[in-house]
Amino acid sequence: MDHFYGGRCTMSRTNIVTALAAHVCVLIDYDTGHTELRPASPEAAALGTTVVPLQNAAPSWGTFEVSAVLPSSVRVSLRWRVGAVAALVVTMASWALGHHDKRFSRLVRLACSGRALPPATTEQARYAVCAVRWISRLVPARWACLEQSTAAAVLLAMAGRRAEWRHGVATDPVRLHAWIADAEGNPVEEPQDTALYTTTYTPDGPGPATRAERTADRE
C-alpha cells in the first residue's frame, strides 16, 4: 500500500504537494516521486506549491479493524478482462521504459490521461478495478496500489471514460495510497480504512478535486 519512489535528492519545487498534519509535514514531489517527512512548520509548508490539510487520525498503533464478512465478488465479463490485459501492458511499458527516477511521474500522468472524457459509472469503475486485479496476479514483479490503480484508469480511458484516480496520504503511521473512486468520491473496491486517506492528487492536478472544478474544465 505504501510507495516511496526516488532516493535522496533535492525537491524539484515545481509540482510539490505539502500534506500538513498537526505534527508532521509530508512533502510529495509529483515530478520526481521523491517523498520527505518533516516536522510540521511554516517553513516546511512553504516548500509545497499546494498545501493539503490532513484529517486528524485517532491513534491506532498501526492496526485497523477488518470486517469478518468477505465482500461479494464482482463478475467481470470477458470484454473487461481482455481490456485489462491491454491496460496492464500499457502500464507496464510506461513503468519500465524510461529513466527510473521518472517512473512515478510517468504513472501519475498515465493515470490522469483520461481526464477530459465523460465520467465512468460506479459499475464501470468496479469492473475496471476487478479486471485489473484479476490479471495483476500474473505479474511477476512489484505491482501494488499505484500500478494497479493506474492500469484501472487506463482501462477506463480505453472504454472512453474518465477514471476518478486518487493519490493520498494517511497518518499514524504516515503512508501513501492510490485508488479509484466513483463519481461521488467514494473508494471503489477498497477496504474501509481507505477513508483515512486525504486526497493529494487527482486527474485535475494537485489537491482534492471538487465537482465545480471538473464541471468548469469541461465547459
Side-chain angles (χ1 to χ4, degrees), residues 169-213:
V169 180
T171 57
D172 187 42
V174 173
R175 56 206 186 276
L176 308 181
H177 187 42
W179 68 97
I180 298 294
D182 62 18
E184 301 300 322
N186 301 310
V188 174
E189 295 296 312
E190 290 286 327
Q192 292 182 348
D193 68 297
T194 305
L196 300 176
Y197 289 85
T198 299
T199 300
T200 54
Y201 207 97
T202 75
D204 298 311
T210 65
R211 182 168 299 180
E213 289 173 348

mmCIF file of all heavy atoms in Angstrom, residues 169-213:
data_model
loop_
_atom_site.group_PDB
_atom_site.id
_atom_site.type_symbol
_atom_site.label_atom_id
_atom_site.label_comp_id
_atom_site.label_asym_id
_atom_site.label_seq_id
_atom_site.Cartn_x
_atom_site.Cartn_y
_atom_site.Cartn_z
ATOM 1 N N VAL A 169 -2.633 10.581 1.295
ATOM 2 C CA VAL A 169 -1.783 10.359 2.454
ATOM 3 C C VAL A 169 -2.652 10.115 3.676
ATOM 4 O O VAL A 169 -3.699 10.750 3.846
ATOM 5 C CB VAL A 169 -0.872 11.583 2.712
ATOM 6 C CG1 VAL A 169 0.023 11.344 3.929
ATOM 7 C CG2 VAL A 169 -0.032 11.902 1.495
ATOM 8 N N ALA A 170 -2.218 9.186 4.521
ATOM 9 C CA ALA A 170 -2.834 8.974 5.832
ATOM 10 C C ALA A 170 -1.737 9.046 6.882
ATOM 11 O O ALA A 170 -0.552 8.876 6.585
ATOM 12 C CB ALA A 170 -3.549 7.624 5.889
ATOM 13 N N THR A 171 -2.135 9.289 8.112
ATOM 14 C CA THR A 171 -1.174 9.380 9.204
ATOM 15 C C THR A 171 -1.388 8.252 10.204
ATOM 16 O O THR A 171 -2.390 7.542 10.163
ATOM 17 C CB THR A 171 -1.298 10.730 9.929
ATOM 18 O OG1 THR A 171 -2.643 10.886 10.413
ATOM 19 C CG2 THR A 171 -0.980 11.871 8.991
ATOM 20 N N ASP A 172 -0.399 8.129 11.111
ATOM 21 C CA ASP A 172 -0.415 7.123 12.174
ATOM 22 C C ASP A 172 -0.571 5.694 11.647
ATOM 23 O O ASP A 172 -1.566 5.029 11.919
ATOM 24 C CB ASP A 172 -1.521 7.427 13.184
ATOM 25 C CG ASP A 172 -1.445 6.474 14.392
ATOM 26 O OD1 ASP A 172 -0.320 6.209 14.863
ATOM 27 O OD2 ASP A 172 -2.505 5.986 14.823
ATOM 28 N N PRO A 173 0.462 5.139 11.008
ATOM 29 C CA PRO A 173 1.684 5.831 10.579
ATOM 30 C C PRO A 173 1.451 6.551 9.254
ATOM 31 O O PRO A 173 0.444 6.333 8.591
ATOM 32 C CB PRO A 173 2.665 4.670 10.406
ATOM 33 C CG PRO A 173 1.784 3.541 9.951
ATOM 34 C CD PRO A 173 0.486 3.705 10.704
ATOM 35 N N VAL A 174 2.408 7.401 8.882
ATOM 36 C CA VAL A 174 2.314 8.085 7.593
ATOM 37 C C VAL A 174 2.468 7.056 6.479
ATOM 38 O O VAL A 174 3.406 6.259 6.466
ATOM 39 C CB VAL A 174 3.386 9.171 7.462
ATOM 40 C CG1 VAL A 174 3.392 9.746 6.048
ATOM 41 C CG2 VAL A 174 3.145 10.285 8.479
ATOM 42 N N ARG A 175 1.531 7.043 5.545
ATOM 43 C CA ARG A 175 1.565 6.092 4.437
ATOM 44 C C ARG A 175 0.857 6.709 3.241
ATOM 45 O O ARG A 175 0.015 7.595 3.392
ATOM 46 C CB ARG A 175 0.924 4.766 4.833
ATOM 47 C CG ARG A 175 -0.489 4.903 5.334
ATOM 48 C CD ARG A 175 -0.845 3.739 6.280
ATOM 49 N NE ARG A 175 -2.254 3.770 6.663
ATOM 50 C CZ ARG A 175 -2.725 4.522 7.667
ATOM 51 N NH1 ARG A 175 -1.919 5.315 8.353
ATOM 52 N NH2 ARG A 175 -4.002 4.490 7.968
ATOM 53 N N LEU A 176 1.221 6.233 2.061
ATOM 54 C CA LEU A 176 0.635 6.714 0.814
ATOM 55 C C LEU A 176 -0.199 5.605 0.186
ATOM 56 O O LEU A 176 0.056 4.427 0.385
ATOM 57 C CB LEU A 176 1.734 7.147 -0.156
ATOM 58 C CG LEU A 176 2.786 8.124 0.363
ATOM 59 C CD1 LEU A 176 3.778 8.450 -0.741
ATOM 60 C CD2 LEU A 176 2.148 9.380 0.911
ATOM 61 N N HIS A 177 -1.177 6.013 -0.602
ATOM 62 C CA HIS A 177 -2.035 5.031 -1.262
ATOM 63 C C HIS A 177 -2.586 5.638 -2.539
ATOM 64 O O HIS A 177 -2.742 6.860 -2.651
ATOM 65 C CB HIS A 177 -3.176 4.628 -0.331
ATOM 66 C CG HIS A 177 -4.020 3.497 -0.846
ATOM 67 N ND1 HIS A 177 -3.488 2.388 -1.465
ATOM 68 C CD2 HIS A 177 -5.373 3.310 -0.843
ATOM 69 C CE1 HIS A 177 -4.469 1.565 -1.808
ATOM 70 N NE2 HIS A 177 -5.621 2.116 -1.451
ATOM 71 N N ALA A 178 -2.876 4.792 -3.522
ATOM 72 C CA ALA A 178 -3.521 5.210 -4.763
ATOM 73 C C ALA A 178 -4.724 4.307 -4.995
ATOM 74 O O ALA A 178 -4.650 3.095 -4.757
ATOM 75 C CB ALA A 178 -2.547 5.125 -5.934
ATOM 76 N N TRP A 179 -5.824 4.888 -5.477
ATOM 77 C CA TRP A 179 -7.042 4.107 -5.655
ATOM 78 C C TRP A 179 -7.942 4.766 -6.691
ATOM 79 O O TRP A 179 -7.691 5.869 -7.151
ATOM 80 C CB TRP A 179 -7.774 3.949 -4.320
ATOM 81 C CG TRP A 179 -8.374 5.210 -3.755
ATOM 82 C CD1 TRP A 179 -9.669 5.648 -3.869
ATOM 83 C CD2 TRP A 179 -7.700 6.222 -2.968
ATOM 84 N NE1 TRP A 179 -9.846 6.840 -3.212
ATOM 85 C CE2 TRP A 179 -8.663 7.215 -2.647
ATOM 86 C CE3 TRP A 179 -6.394 6.375 -2.510
ATOM 87 C CZ2 TRP A 179 -8.339 8.335 -1.892
ATOM 88 C CZ3 TRP A 179 -6.079 7.503 -1.764
ATOM 89 C CH2 TRP A 179 -7.033 8.457 -1.460
ATOM 90 N N ILE A 180 -9.011 4.066 -7.037
ATOM 91 C CA ILE A 180 -10.035 4.580 -7.944
ATOM 92 C C ILE A 180 -11.285 4.888 -7.129
ATOM 93 O O ILE A 180 -11.704 4.088 -6.290
ATOM 94 C CB ILE A 180 -10.372 3.561 -9.051
ATOM 95 C CG1 ILE A 180 -9.150 3.266 -9.911
ATOM 96 C CG2 ILE A 180 -11.525 4.072 -9.926
ATOM 97 C CD1 ILE A 180 -8.642 4.442 -10.727
ATOM 98 N N ALA A 181 -11.882 6.050 -7.367
ATOM 99 C CA ALA A 181 -13.115 6.445 -6.688
ATOM 100 C C ALA A 181 -14.258 6.494 -7.692
ATOM 101 O O ALA A 181 -14.042 6.506 -8.910
ATOM 102 C CB ALA A 181 -12.938 7.804 -6.017
ATOM 103 N N ASP A 182 -15.479 6.522 -7.161
ATOM 104 C CA ASP A 182 -16.628 6.700 -8.048
ATOM 105 C C ASP A 182 -16.890 8.196 -8.239
ATOM 106 O O ASP A 182 -16.137 9.042 -7.749
ATOM 107 C CB ASP A 182 -17.858 5.962 -7.508
ATOM 108 C CG ASP A 182 -18.320 6.494 -6.147
ATOM 109 O OD1 ASP A 182 -17.940 7.630 -5.767
ATOM 110 O OD2 ASP A 182 -19.051 5.771 -5.453
ATOM 111 N N ALA A 183 -17.952 8.526 -8.951
ATOM 112 C CA ALA A 183 -18.230 9.929 -9.267
ATOM 113 C C ALA A 183 -18.501 10.766 -8.024
ATOM 114 O O ALA A 183 -18.348 11.991 -8.044
ATOM 115 C CB ALA A 183 -19.418 10.015 -10.228
ATOM 116 N N GLU A 184 -18.898 10.105 -6.927
ATOM 117 C CA GLU A 184 -19.167 10.812 -5.682
ATOM 118 C C GLU A 184 -17.947 10.885 -4.779
ATOM 119 O O GLU A 184 -18.011 11.420 -3.679
ATOM 120 C CB GLU A 184 -20.314 10.116 -4.935
ATOM 121 C CG GLU A 184 -21.613 10.035 -5.715
ATOM 122 C CD GLU A 184 -22.134 11.411 -6.091
ATOM 123 O OE1 GLU A 184 -22.000 12.332 -5.259
ATOM 124 O OE2 GLU A 184 -22.653 11.571 -7.205
ATOM 125 N N GLY A 185 -16.828 10.306 -5.240
ATOM 126 C CA GLY A 185 -15.607 10.341 -4.450
ATOM 127 C C GLY A 185 -15.416 9.167 -3.519
ATOM 128 O O GLY A 185 -14.454 9.137 -2.746
ATOM 129 N N ASN A 186 -16.317 8.180 -3.569
ATOM 130 C CA ASN A 186 -16.198 7.018 -2.696
ATOM 131 C C ASN A 186 -15.230 5.999 -3.288
ATOM 132 O O ASN A 186 -15.301 5.684 -4.478
ATOM 133 C CB ASN A 186 -17.568 6.356 -2.498
ATOM 134 C CG ASN A 186 -18.585 7.304 -1.903
ATOM 135 O OD1 ASN A 186 -18.319 7.952 -0.892
ATOM 136 N ND2 ASN A 186 -19.750 7.400 -2.525
ATOM 137 N N PRO A 187 -14.301 5.454 -2.476
ATOM 138 C CA PRO A 187 -13.360 4.454 -2.992
ATOM 139 C C PRO A 187 -14.083 3.232 -3.551
ATOM 140 O O PRO A 187 -15.087 2.776 -2.999
ATOM 141 C CB PRO A 187 -12.529 4.079 -1.753
ATOM 142 C CG PRO A 187 -12.653 5.264 -0.852
ATOM 143 C CD PRO A 187 -14.042 5.791 -1.070
ATOM 144 N N VAL A 188 -13.581 2.717 -4.669
ATOM 145 C CA VAL A 188 -14.191 1.577 -5.349
ATOM 146 C C VAL A 188 -13.393 0.318 -5.056
ATOM 147 O O VAL A 188 -12.179 0.280 -5.295
ATOM 148 C CB VAL A 188 -14.250 1.821 -6.873
ATOM 149 C CG1 VAL A 188 -14.738 0.576 -7.612
ATOM 150 C CG2 VAL A 188 -15.142 3.004 -7.177
ATOM 151 N N GLU A 189 -14.063 -0.698 -4.516
ATOM 152 C CA GLU A 189 -13.425 -1.985 -4.216
ATOM 153 C C GLU A 189 -12.179 -1.808 -3.341
ATOM 154 O O GLU A 189 -11.135 -2.403 -3.585
ATOM 155 C CB GLU A 189 -13.070 -2.719 -5.517
ATOM 156 C CG GLU A 189 -14.264 -3.135 -6.343
ATOM 157 C CD GLU A 189 -15.149 -4.157 -5.629
ATOM 158 O OE1 GLU A 189 -14.601 -5.146 -5.098
ATOM 159 O OE2 GLU A 189 -16.383 -3.952 -5.584
ATOM 160 N N GLU A 190 -12.326 -0.986 -2.313
ATOM 161 C CA GLU A 190 -11.225 -0.706 -1.394
ATOM 162 C C GLU A 190 -11.644 -1.048 0.032
ATOM 163 O O GLU A 190 -12.832 -1.035 0.364
ATOM 164 C CB GLU A 190 -10.839 0.777 -1.461
ATOM 165 C CG GLU A 190 -10.158 1.198 -2.742
ATOM 166 C CD GLU A 190 -8.725 0.700 -2.813
ATOM 167 O OE1 GLU A 190 -8.065 0.605 -1.764
ATOM 168 O OE2 GLU A 190 -8.268 0.415 -3.935
ATOM 169 N N PRO A 191 -10.675 -1.345 0.907
ATOM 170 C CA PRO A 191 -11.010 -1.598 2.313
ATOM 171 C C PRO A 191 -11.500 -0.337 3.001
ATOM 172 O O PRO A 191 -11.294 0.785 2.523
ATOM 173 C CB PRO A 191 -9.678 -2.082 2.909
ATOM 174 C CG PRO A 191 -8.636 -1.520 1.999
ATOM 175 C CD PRO A 191 -9.240 -1.519 0.629
ATOM 176 N N GLN A 192 -12.150 -0.516 4.161
ATOM 177 C CA GLN A 192 -12.743 0.622 4.855
ATOM 178 C C GLN A 192 -11.711 1.655 5.280
ATOM 179 O O GLN A 192 -12.012 2.858 5.328
ATOM 180 C CB GLN A 192 -13.515 0.128 6.090
ATOM 181 C CG GLN A 192 -14.762 -0.673 5.761
ATOM 182 C CD GLN A 192 -15.523 -1.093 7.002
ATOM 183 O OE1 GLN A 192 -15.015 -0.985 8.113
ATOM 184 N NE2 GLN A 192 -16.732 -1.588 6.816
ATOM 185 N N ASP A 193 -10.493 1.236 5.565
ATOM 186 C CA ASP A 193 -9.503 2.195 6.056
ATOM 187 C C ASP A 193 -9.019 3.156 4.975
ATOM 188 O O ASP A 193 -8.290 4.106 5.273
ATOM 189 C CB ASP A 193 -8.312 1.471 6.690
ATOM 190 C CG ASP A 193 -7.482 0.715 5.673
ATOM 191 O OD1 ASP A 193 -8.016 -0.218 5.058
ATOM 192 O OD2 ASP A 193 -6.294 1.042 5.507
ATOM 193 N N THR A 194 -9.460 2.954 3.724
ATOM 194 C CA THR A 194 -9.125 3.924 2.674
ATOM 195 C C THR A 194 -9.729 5.289 2.987
ATOM 196 O O THR A 194 -9.207 6.321 2.543
ATOM 197 C CB THR A 194 -9.615 3.426 1.300
ATOM 198 O OG1 THR A 194 -9.085 2.126 1.062
ATOM 199 C CG2 THR A 194 -9.166 4.347 0.176
ATOM 200 N N ALA A 195 -10.796 5.299 3.788
ATOM 201 C CA ALA A 195 -11.412 6.569 4.182
ATOM 202 C C ALA A 195 -10.473 7.415 5.032
ATOM 203 O O ALA A 195 -10.701 8.628 5.192
ATOM 204 C CB ALA A 195 -12.707 6.297 4.944
ATOM 205 N N LEU A 196 -9.416 6.818 5.567
ATOM 206 C CA LEU A 196 -8.463 7.567 6.391
ATOM 207 C C LEU A 196 -7.511 8.415 5.542
ATOM 208 O O LEU A 196 -6.817 9.279 6.077
ATOM 209 C CB LEU A 196 -7.649 6.606 7.260
ATOM 210 C CG LEU A 196 -8.440 5.746 8.243
ATOM 211 C CD1 LEU A 196 -7.498 4.784 8.961
ATOM 212 C CD2 LEU A 196 -9.181 6.619 9.250
ATOM 213 N N TYR A 197 -7.462 8.157 4.241
ATOM 214 C CA TYR A 197 -6.531 8.877 3.374
ATOM 215 C C TYR A 197 -7.130 10.199 2.909
ATOM 216 O O TYR A 197 -8.297 10.274 2.528
ATOM 217 C CB TYR A 197 -6.172 8.026 2.152
ATOM 218 C CG TYR A 197 -5.289 6.852 2.489
ATOM 219 C CD1 TYR A 197 -5.838 5.660 2.921
ATOM 220 C CD2 TYR A 197 -3.907 6.939 2.386
ATOM 221 C CE1 TYR A 197 -5.036 4.572 3.243
ATOM 222 C CE2 TYR A 197 -3.095 5.865 2.703
ATOM 223 C CZ TYR A 197 -3.668 4.681 3.133
ATOM 224 O OH TYR A 197 -2.869 3.627 3.458
ATOM 225 N N THR A 198 -6.310 11.221 2.939
ATOM 226 C CA THR A 198 -6.681 12.519 2.405
ATOM 227 C C THR A 198 -6.107 12.643 0.997
ATOM 228 O O THR A 198 -4.917 12.426 0.781
ATOM 229 C CB THR A 198 -6.123 13.658 3.276
ATOM 230 O OG1 THR A 198 -6.672 13.552 4.592
ATOM 231 C CG2 THR A 198 -6.478 15.013 2.681
ATOM 232 N N THR A 199 -6.954 12.961 0.036
ATOM 233 C CA THR A 199 -6.520 13.049 -1.362
ATOM 234 C C THR A 199 -5.557 14.212 -1.557
ATOM 235 O O THR A 199 -5.819 15.338 -1.123
ATOM 236 C CB THR A 199 -7.730 13.227 -2.279
ATOM 237 O OG1 THR A 199 -8.609 12.111 -2.129
ATOM 238 C CG2 THR A 199 -7.303 13.345 -3.729
ATOM 239 N N THR A 200 -4.448 13.934 -2.226
ATOM 240 C CA THR A 200 -3.458 14.967 -2.523
ATOM 241 C C THR A 200 -3.272 15.190 -4.022
ATOM 242 O O THR A 200 -2.674 16.194 -4.421
ATOM 243 C CB THR A 200 -2.094 14.616 -1.904
ATOM 244 O OG1 THR A 200 -1.703 13.298 -2.335
ATOM 245 C CG2 THR A 200 -2.158 14.645 -0.382
ATOM 246 N N TYR A 201 -3.778 14.270 -4.848
ATOM 247 C CA TYR A 201 -3.628 14.431 -6.299
ATOM 248 C C TYR A 201 -4.752 13.681 -6.995
ATOM 249 O O TYR A 201 -5.118 12.576 -6.596
ATOM 250 C CB TYR A 201 -2.280 13.889 -6.772
ATOM 251 C CG TYR A 201 -1.764 14.549 -8.040
ATOM 252 C CD1 TYR A 201 -0.843 15.596 -7.977
ATOM 253 C CD2 TYR A 201 -2.193 14.136 -9.304
ATOM 254 C CE1 TYR A 201 -0.360 16.209 -9.135
ATOM 255 C CE2 TYR A 201 -1.715 14.744 -10.456
ATOM 256 C CZ TYR A 201 -0.799 15.771 -10.364
ATOM 257 O OH TYR A 201 -0.337 16.381 -11.504
ATOM 258 N N THR A 202 -5.309 14.304 -8.046
ATOM 259 C CA THR A 202 -6.386 13.718 -8.840
ATOM 260 C C THR A 202 -6.114 14.033 -10.309
ATOM 261 O O THR A 202 -5.147 14.731 -10.628
ATOM 262 C CB THR A 202 -7.749 14.322 -8.446
ATOM 263 O OG1 THR A 202 -7.849 15.644 -8.999
ATOM 264 C CG2 THR A 202 -7.919 14.395 -6.929
ATOM 265 N N PRO A 203 -6.950 13.568 -11.229
ATOM 266 C CA PRO A 203 -6.773 13.951 -12.638
ATOM 267 C C PRO A 203 -6.825 15.455 -12.867
ATOM 268 O O PRO A 203 -6.344 15.946 -13.892
ATOM 269 C CB PRO A 203 -7.930 13.235 -13.342
ATOM 270 C CG PRO A 203 -8.182 12.035 -12.507
ATOM 271 C CD PRO A 203 -7.968 12.504 -11.093
ATOM 272 N N ASP A 204 -7.403 16.204 -11.929
ATOM 273 C CA ASP A 204 -7.456 17.654 -12.050
ATOM 274 C C ASP A 204 -6.200 18.330 -11.535
ATOM 275 O O ASP A 204 -6.084 19.555 -11.606
ATOM 276 C CB ASP A 204 -8.675 18.197 -11.291
ATOM 277 C CG ASP A 204 -9.969 17.673 -11.875
ATOM 278 O OD1 ASP A 204 -10.132 17.746 -13.096
ATOM 279 O OD2 ASP A 204 -10.814 17.173 -11.107
ATOM 280 N N GLY A 205 -5.248 17.555 -11.018
ATOM 281 C CA GLY A 205 -3.998 18.123 -10.547
ATOM 282 C C GLY A 205 -3.830 18.004 -9.049
ATOM 283 O O GLY A 205 -4.541 17.251 -8.382
ATOM 284 N N PRO A 206 -2.873 18.726 -8.480
ATOM 285 C CA PRO A 206 -2.610 18.658 -7.040
ATOM 286 C C PRO A 206 -3.801 19.117 -6.220
ATOM 287 O O PRO A 206 -4.515 20.048 -6.596
ATOM 288 C CB PRO A 206 -1.418 19.611 -6.845
ATOM 289 C CG PRO A 206 -0.811 19.761 -8.204
ATOM 290 C CD PRO A 206 -1.940 19.636 -9.167
ATOM 291 N N GLY A 207 -4.004 18.473 -5.073
ATOM 292 C CA GLY A 207 -5.074 18.853 -4.165
ATOM 293 C C GLY A 207 -6.355 18.093 -4.428
ATOM 294 O O GLY A 207 -6.530 17.469 -5.484
ATOM 295 N N PRO A 208 -7.281 18.116 -3.472
ATOM 296 C CA PRO A 208 -8.573 17.445 -3.654
ATOM 297 C C PRO A 208 -9.367 18.061 -4.798
ATOM 298 O O PRO A 208 -9.346 19.276 -5.000
ATOM 299 C CB PRO A 208 -9.277 17.661 -2.310
ATOM 300 C CG PRO A 208 -8.190 18.010 -1.347
ATOM 301 C CD PRO A 208 -7.153 18.738 -2.152
ATOM 302 N N ALA A 209 -10.062 17.226 -5.556
ATOM 303 C CA ALA A 209 -10.883 17.730 -6.650
ATOM 304 C C ALA A 209 -12.252 18.135 -6.133
ATOM 305 O O ALA A 209 -12.753 17.600 -5.149
ATOM 306 C CB ALA A 209 -11.045 16.667 -7.729
ATOM 307 N N THR A 210 -12.856 19.104 -6.784
ATOM 308 C CA THR A 210 -14.231 19.483 -6.491
ATOM 309 C C THR A 210 -15.044 19.311 -7.749
ATOM 310 O O THR A 210 -14.539 19.434 -8.863
ATOM 311 C CB THR A 210 -14.342 20.943 -6.019
ATOM 312 O OG1 THR A 210 -13.952 21.804 -7.086
ATOM 313 C CG2 THR A 210 -13.442 21.202 -4.812
ATOM 314 N N ARG A 211 -16.295 19.000 -7.568
ATOM 315 C CA ARG A 211 -17.155 18.802 -8.729
ATOM 316 C C ARG A 211 -17.263 20.075 -9.551
ATOM 317 O O ARG A 211 -17.344 20.044 -10.780
ATOM 318 C CB ARG A 211 -18.547 18.356 -8.271
ATOM 319 C CG ARG A 211 -19.491 18.087 -9.432
ATOM 320 C CD ARG A 211 -20.745 17.384 -8.980
ATOM 321 N NE ARG A 211 -20.430 16.098 -8.399
ATOM 322 C CZ ARG A 211 -21.347 15.268 -7.908
ATOM 323 N NH1 ARG A 211 -22.622 15.593 -7.926
ATOM 324 N NH2 ARG A 211 -20.994 14.116 -7.396
ATOM 325 N N ALA A 212 -17.245 21.239 -8.891
ATOM 326 C CA ALA A 212 -17.338 22.518 -9.616
ATOM 327 C C ALA A 212 -16.145 22.685 -10.545
ATOM 328 O O ALA A 212 -16.280 23.161 -11.674
ATOM 329 C CB ALA A 212 -17.414 23.667 -8.620
ATOM 330 N N GLU A 213 -14.950 22.314 -10.059
ATOM 331 C CA GLU A 213 -13.750 22.431 -10.894
ATOM 332 C C GLU A 213 -13.864 21.521 -12.120
ATOM 333 O O GLU A 213 -13.497 21.905 -13.225
ATOM 334 C CB GLU A 213 -12.514 22.080 -10.076
ATOM 335 C CG GLU A 213 -12.157 23.120 -9.026
ATOM 336 C CD GLU A 213 -11.032 22.649 -8.128
ATOM 337 O OE1 GLU A 213 -10.717 21.443 -8.200
ATOM 338 O OE2 GLU A 213 -10.499 23.454 -7.355
#
